[in-house]
């Protein structure tokens, strides 16, 4: 499956078909992370149920030092 | 001094710390610890898929109230997007709203800030807007329900101190919400000046983060803020034009 993650085209296995699976695949902790799929913020309690599709645009953001 | 109350939370420390630009996560953690701060700010960025930022692991989310900012937003729409993502990531509704379209001075856009603040308050955010030291704007933001206002002393990271003192004084005089002086504080004396002027708190980042010894500078800012608080409690004397002798005016030699 070809999806766009944080501005880059990435190929992920077809089994990586939910946000939870994607975060695991990318080795990113779900804690303190926010995810947007095609412009819509997905709440944490929907990570496991949100299906990903070929061509989706995904933003994964988290906190960094800032003022 | 009475504890500082913002929205539904009370704080003992009057020093808020920004967490950007520290040389290492360890130095950040120690600087936060010695500062006695209870409120820290963070930014929201894309997760790097190759090099994760370890800075955030240095911040104890249970110990400090972590307030995400909307840095990078150039208009209200971008600020709203960042705010909603930040709430999703932190699970908290506190937000430092900053909208800075100008890349040179990073001065906040008052129109976009007010527009975003109004929407975010309605969405249940506790909004702390970063603003120019404009008393009228501060009132407008208070009127739409912001929990505090954060006027700038001088441009972000400039270390130029409180160039806006006259107008920050008016904001302090008129505000019914806490006033946090943010941006441009380069020295502990600048922070002390803000508190002595009657500001409820100060937010410091660059002056500590890129000092030669951030931990020592953090301690210095803590001391300055506490000194200023103590001075206010002690009851400062009034300024006057003429001299008033400190030594007795009697018993002089012939």
């Amino acid at each position: 499956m070809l999806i766009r993650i944080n501005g880059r085209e990435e190929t992920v296995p077809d089994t990586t078909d939910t946000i939870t699976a994607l975060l695991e695949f990318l080795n990113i902790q779900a804690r303190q992370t926010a995810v947007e799929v095609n412009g819509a913020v997905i709440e944490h309690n929907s990570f496991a149920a949100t299906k990903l599709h070929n061509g989706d645009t995904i933003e994964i953001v988290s906190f960094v030092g800032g003022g | 001094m009475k504890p500082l109350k913002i929205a539904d939370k009370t704080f003992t420390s009057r020093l808020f710390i920004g967490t950007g630009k520290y040389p290492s996560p360890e130095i950040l953690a120690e600087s936060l610890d010695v500062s006695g701060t209870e409120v820290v700010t963070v930014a929201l960025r894309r997760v790097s898929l190759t090099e994760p930022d370890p800075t955030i692991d240095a911040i104890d989310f249970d110990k400090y109230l972590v307030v995400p900012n909307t840095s990078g937003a150039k208009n209200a729409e971008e600020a709203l997007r960042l705010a909603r993502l930040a709430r999703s990531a932190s699970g908290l509704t506190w937000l430092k709203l900053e909208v800075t379209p100008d890349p040179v001075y990073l001065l906040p856009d008052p129109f976009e800030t007010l527009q975003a603040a109004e929407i975010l308050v309605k969405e249940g955010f506790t909004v702390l807007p970063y603003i120019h030291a404009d008393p009228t704007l501060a009132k407008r933001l208070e009127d739409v329900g912001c929990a505090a206002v954060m006027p700038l002393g001088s441009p972000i990271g400039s270390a130029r101190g409180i160039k806006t003192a006259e107008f920050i004084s008016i904001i302090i005089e008129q505000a019914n919400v806490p006033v946090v002086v943010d941006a441009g504080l380069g020295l502990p004396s600048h922070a002390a000046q803000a508190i002595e002027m009657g500001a409820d708190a100060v937010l410091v980042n660059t002056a500590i983060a890129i000092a030669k010894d951030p931990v020592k500078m953090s301690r210095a800012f803590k001391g300055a803020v506490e000194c200023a608080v103590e001075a206010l409690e002690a009851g400062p004397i009034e300024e006057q034009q003429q001299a008033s002798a400190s030594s007795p005016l009697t018993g002089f030699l012939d």
Side-chain angles (χ1 to χ4, degrees):
Chain A
M1 179 160 54
L2 187 66
I3 52 180
R4 193 170 180 82
I5 307 173
N6 289 356
R8 288 181 56 170
E9 300 288 342
E10 304 276 350
T11 304
V12 300
D14 285 347
T15 49
T16 307
D17 61 349
T18 64
I19 292 177
T20 301
L22 179 66
L23 293 178
E24 273 170 24
F25 175 73
L26 297 170
N27 201 18
I28 294 170
Q29 283 185 10
R31 193 170 157 262
Q32 289 159 17
T33 297
V35 178
E36 239 184 33
V37 177
N38 302 327
V41 178
I42 307 298
E43 294 306 331
H44 281 224
N45 55 17
S46 300
F47 279 7
T50 302
K51 288 282 180 191
L52 300 181
H53 304 96
N54 200 46
D56 278 349
T57 296
I58 295 158
E59 293 285 346
I60 307 171
V61 297
S62 192
F63 296 120
V64 297
Chain B
M1 204 166 186
K2 282 192 306 190
L4 167 60
K5 190 163 191 298
I6 304 180
D8 60 343
K9 292 193 188 295
T10 50
F11 308 100
T12 310
S13 167
R14 304 285 174 150
L15 176 59
F16 299 177
I17 307 271
T19 59
K21 301 200 278 197
Y22 280 81
S24 73
E26 294 74 23
I27 291 174
L28 168 61
E30 199 181 345
S31 298
L32 293 181
D33 189 45
V34 304
S35 74
T37 191
E38 294 158 289
V39 181
V40 303
T41 59
V42 294
L44 195 70
R45 291 291 180 271
R46 279 176 165 168
V47 170
S48 168
L49 303 182
T50 48
E51 287 174 69
D53 180 359
T55 312
I56 210 67
D57 296 331
I59 302 170
D60 185 342
F61 277 63
D62 295 324
K63 183 173 174 187
Y64 307 109
L65 173 65
V66 178
V67 181
N69 66 33
T70 60
S71 66
K74 292 184 168 50
N75 54 45
E77 195 185 339
E78 290 176 9
L80 295 177
R81 184 183 185 196
L82 284 166
R84 290 161 186 157
L85 282 166
R87 176 164 64 180
S88 175
S90 71
L92 296 173
T93 54
W94 285 64
L95 186 80
K96 176 182 162 183
L97 173 62
E98 52 178 303
V99 184
T100 54
D102 159 29
V104 180
Y105 290 98
L106 293 173
L107 293 173
D109 183 318
F111 305 103
E112 301 288 325
T113 302
L114 180 60
Q115 197 188 336
E118 197 164 4
I119 295 168
L120 290 168
V121 168
K122 283 183 185 148
E123 289 184 11
F125 283 88
T126 301
V127 181
L128 287 62
Y130 169 63
I131 56 170
H132 205 301
D134 177 345
T136 309
L137 176 63
K139 277 315 251 187
R140 291 288 300 269
L141 287 159
E142 182 184 310
D143 289 345
V144 301
C146 288
V149 289
M150 304 183 76
L152 61 89
S154 51
I156 294 173
S158 69
R160 299 185 63 209
I162 305 179
K163 301 294 182 193
T164 54
E166 296 290 328
F167 301 98
I168 286 183
S169 289
I170 297 173
I171 293 175
I172 291 167
E173 181 194 323
Q174 297 182 334
N176 295 309
V177 293
V179 178
V180 182
V181 175
D182 181 9
L185 305 181
L187 288 167
S189 57
H190 300 153
Q193 184 194 351
I195 300 295
E196 286 168 3
M197 284 165 57
D200 295 281
V202 292
L203 171 57
V204 182
N205 186 346
T206 306
I208 295 173
I210 66 170
K212 201 163 133 192
D213 184 341
V215 175
K216 200 170 217 176
M217 190 59 88
S218 180
R219 205 180 284 120
F221 267 94
K222 176 182 199 265
V225 168
E226 287 177 355
C227 276
V229 167
E230 205 166 336
L232 281 188
E233 287 172 348
I237 65 165
E238 294 285 326
E239 236 179 67
Q240 56 183 24
Q241 200 60 36
Q242 295 180 348
S244 168
S246 329
S247 309
L249 295 171
T250 54
F252 288 121
L253 301 178
D254 285 333

